[in-house]
């Protein structure tokens, strides 16, 4: 279960670093601290993190990928490697969101006093 938590934390830190690059410090801090919701044992907290990762995969990484690739195409620079890297980042973010299901299942199995 520790590796699932690690992947979710890394995905949120990656999103935070993306916002830090553009000087948006409040968004960076919010995304960097959001994995602290994993300390809440309720399943809704993990679902919020999953929803945040899925939304970021499309709204942050998808839009950024489109813009970066368009800039490369206009500048007549190679863009294939960039598209592969950004596809990997999107896949990693979606995989980290999927790992949240395993955390919820493990927590449900460990309930001693139900």
């Amino acid at each position: 279960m520790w590796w699932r938590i690690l992947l979710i934390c890394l995905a949120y830190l990656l999103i935070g670093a993306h916002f830090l690059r553009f000087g948006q410090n409040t968004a960076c801090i919010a995304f960097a601290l959001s994995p602290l919701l994993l300390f809440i044992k309720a399943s809704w907290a993990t679902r919020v993190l999953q929803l945040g990762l899925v939304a970021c995969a499309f709204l942050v990484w998808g839009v950024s990928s489109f813009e970066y690739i368009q800039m490369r195409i206009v500048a007549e620079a190679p863009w294939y490697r960039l598209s592969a890297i950004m596809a990997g980042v999107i896949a990693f973010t979606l995989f980290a969101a999927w790992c949240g299901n395993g955390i919820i299942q493990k927590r449900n199995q460990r309930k001693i006093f139900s």
Side-chain angles (χ1 to χ4, degrees):
M1 185 157 118
W2 63 270
W3 61 272
R4 296 174 193 268
I5 294 171
L6 180 67
L7 287 178
I8 290 172
C9 290
L10 285 175
Y12 270 105
L13 288 175
L14 187 64
I15 295 166
H18 174 75
F19 283 108
L20 184 63
R21 182 174 183 236
F22 295 106
Q24 299 173 346
N25 294 333
T26 55
C28 172
I29 292 170
F31 280 110
L33 294 179
S34 55
L36 292 176
L37 284 175
L38 289 171
F39 286 113
I40 299 173
K41 299 292 184 185
S43 63
W44 65 265
T46 309
R47 293 287 183 208
V48 167
L49 288 175
Q50 285 179 308
L51 181 64
L53 285 175
V54 170
C56 285
F58 293 109
L59 298 177
V60 174
W61 298 129
V63 172
S64 295
S65 299
F66 180 76
E67 290 175 357
Y68 295 155
I69 290 171
Q70 289 301 316
M71 284 191 308
R72 290 276 184 106
I73 290 173
V74 168
E76 296 179 357
W79 57 273
Y80 298 114
R81 183 175 37 178
L82 174 66
S83 64
I85 291 169
M86 293 306 288
V89 170
I90 292 170
F92 172 73
T93 306
L94 291 175
F95 180 69
W98 179 76
C99 286
N101 291 333
I103 293 173
I104 292 172
Q105 289 175 355
K106 293 285 185 181
R107 285 186 179 161
N108 289 338
Q109 291 173 356
R110 292 185 181 182
K111 286 189 178 178
I112 298 172
F113 303 109
S114 314

